[in-house]
């Protein structure tokens, strides 16, 4: 509930986004391209890059929280920033049970980046929140040691956010369930496994994996099982990648090879022979 209370304290700020949607949507385009804002906000990427750098300096949670926020946004009705909408009735995406794992630091990273963009007179109210989230996520990944990939821009901001629209994978999903979900997004099994690699950053509450400990899941490495029991006796979370918890790399896939996937939906990618070869590929490359 602490996260819920922290997120609620941001509501007064986030709700301002609703007032800007009409302005922002007029700048969106059907065709995405990297230089979409070149003539109206030429310094956009530099502004977002510096803002995210400041956010990451304030909190080590900023990068994984922003990455997680982007996934939640994109997996529900597309990458439209609707996850940022606060409904006065309480009927919005982040108050769905699956949204409770979202951290305030992710929302704050986006709000700070948006404020930085809008502080530039050239850019004010001309860049969609959806594009800011996409750019801030890229920066969170690249500034954590991951790739500095190109982001195509020109997304619309969504105007609708409802609790019932949230349908996300769960921590104990098997391969068939994971594939079925990502197929609805137009993504293949290989895409899904690549995206699962985002779990190289961040942490999960003990309640998400304790059903696997104490020998309940034979796919879990016994030494890792014992380690997690000790971790959860001291604190209420564990890192998804305990080798490089704040570094974006491929150690997540190497951990799966050794039975050290934190969530059941992580470890199944290696346990199931249909996906094992892809995990092996990413672990070696």
């Amino acid at each position: 509930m602490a996260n819920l209370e922290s997120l609620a304290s941001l509501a007064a700020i986030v709700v301002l986004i609703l007032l800007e949607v009409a302005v922002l949507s007029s700048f969106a385009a059907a065709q995405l391209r990297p230089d979409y804002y070149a003539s109206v906000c030429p310094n956009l990427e530099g502004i977002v890059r510096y803002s995210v750098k400041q956010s990451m300096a304030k909190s080590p949670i900023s990068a994984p929280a922003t990455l997680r926020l982007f996934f939640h946004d994109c997996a529900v009705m597309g990458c439209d920033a609707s996850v940022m909408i606060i409904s006065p009735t309480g009927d919005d995406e982040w108050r769905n049970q699956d949204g409770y794992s979202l951290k305030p630091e992710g929302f704050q990273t986006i709000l700070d980046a948006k404020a930085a963009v809008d502080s530039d007179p050239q850019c004010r109210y001309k860049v969609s929140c959806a594009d800011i989230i996409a750019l801030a996520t890229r920066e969170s990944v690249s500034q954590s040691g991951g790739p500095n990939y190109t982001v195509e821009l020109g997304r619309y901001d969504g105007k609708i956010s409802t609790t019932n629209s949230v349908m996300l994978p769960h921590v104990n999903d098997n391969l068939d369930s994971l594939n079925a979900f990502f197929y609805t997004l137009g993504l293949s099994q290989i895409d899904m496994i690549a995206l699962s690699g985002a779990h190289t950053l961040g942490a999960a509450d003990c309640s998400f994996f304790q059903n696997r400990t104490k020998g309940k899941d034979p796919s879990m490495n016994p030494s890792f099982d014992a380690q997690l029991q000790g971790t959860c006796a001291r604190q209420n979370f564990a890192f998804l990648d305990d080798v490089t918890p704040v570094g974006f790399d491929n150690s997540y896939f190497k951990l799966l090879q050794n039975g050290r996937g934190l969530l059941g939906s992580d470890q199944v990618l290696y346990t199931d022979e249909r996906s094992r070869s892809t995990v092996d590929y990413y672990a070696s490359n």
Side-chain angles (χ1 to χ4, degrees):
M1 291 301 294
N3 284 340
L4 188 58
E5 292 170 1
S6 298
L7 290 172
S9 69
L10 296 175
I13 303 172
V14 180
V15 76
L16 294 176
I17 292 173
L18 290 170
L19 302 178
E20 297 172 8
V21 165
V23 177
L24 292 169
S25 62
S26 66
F27 291 93
Q31 296 295 320
L32 304 184
R33 62 182 193 270
D35 63 346
Y36 181 70
Y37 296 103
S39 62
V40 296
C41 185
N43 298 321
L44 173 61
E45 295 201 23
I47 293 171
V48 174
R49 181 173 299 117
Y50 182 69
S51 178
V52 170
K53 183 178 180 179
Q54 289 182 308
S55 293
M56 290 176 62
K58 293 176 185 176
S59 171
I61 300 175
S62 170
T66 301
L67 181 55
R68 181 69 179 174
L69 182 67
F70 189 46
F71 172 70
H72 275 239
D73 185 42
C74 292
V76 180
M77 297 166 51
C79 309
D80 63 353
S82 57
V83 73
M84 301 293 292
I85 294 175
I86 302 297
S87 169
T89 66
D91 183 18
D92 45 47
E93 292 175 25
W94 69 264
R95 276 180 278 202
N96 179 283
Q97 184 176 356
D98 286 335
Y100 288 171
S101 64
L102 296 174
K103 304 298 182 184
E105 290 83 356
F107 288 91
Q108 194 62 58
T109 298
I110 303 306
L111 291 172
D112 290 346
K114 176 170 171 48
V117 171
D118 286 343
S119 69
D120 186 320
Q122 274 189 288
C123 305
R124 187 169 299 144
Y125 308 145
K126 295 177 182 178
V127 181
S128 70
C129 294
D131 282 335
I132 290 175
I133 295 176
L135 286 169
T137 301
R138 189 270 307 276
E139 290 306 320
S140 296
V141 168
S142 64
Q143 293 187 40
S144 296
N148 185 21
Y149 54 90
T150 299
V151 177
E152 295 186 331
L153 303 168
R155 292 165 184 78
Y156 289 96
D157 277 336
K159 301 180 182 181
I160 299 172
S161 178
T162 63
T163 301
N164 290 336
S165 66
V166 179
M167 299 287 289
L168 294 169
H170 293 110
V171 295
N172 293 310
D173 280 354
N174 60 26
L175 185 65
D176 290 329
S177 296
L178 291 169
N179 278 332
F181 173 80
F182 282 91
Y183 180 78
T184 66
L185 304 180
L187 298 169
S188 69
Q189 177 173 290
I190 291 177
D191 296 328
M192 178 270 291
I193 296 170
L195 289 170
S196 297
H199 282 180
T200 187
L201 293 177
D205 290 347
C206 292
S207 60
F208 286 114
F209 57 82
Q210 281 184 314
N211 65 307
R212 303 183 61 222
T213 60
K214 299 181 180 179
K216 300 186 192 76
D217 186 344
S219 69
M220 181 178 282
N221 185 308
S223 66
F224 187 50
D225 188 337
Q227 176 186 320
L228 290 177
Q229 291 181 56
T231 297
C232 290
R234 299 189 304 272
Q235 59 195 37
N236 66 349
F237 71 91
F239 290 112
L240 289 157
D241 173 356
D242 64 346
V243 177
T244 55
V246 295
F248 195 99
D249 53 30
N250 69 337
S251 67
Y252 163 83
F253 297 105
K254 296 177 182 178
L255 290 171
L256 298 186
Q257 291 176 314
N258 292 295
R260 297 177 66 86
L262 186 63
L263 307 178
S265 56
D266 290 325
Q267 192 57 51
V268 74
L269 301 180
Y270 195 73
T271 304
D272 196 308
E273 294 182 356
R274 294 173 295 171
S275 51
R276 185 177 299 167
S277 63
T278 305
V279 173
D280 286 335
Y281 172 74
Y282 286 130
S284 66
N285 185 342

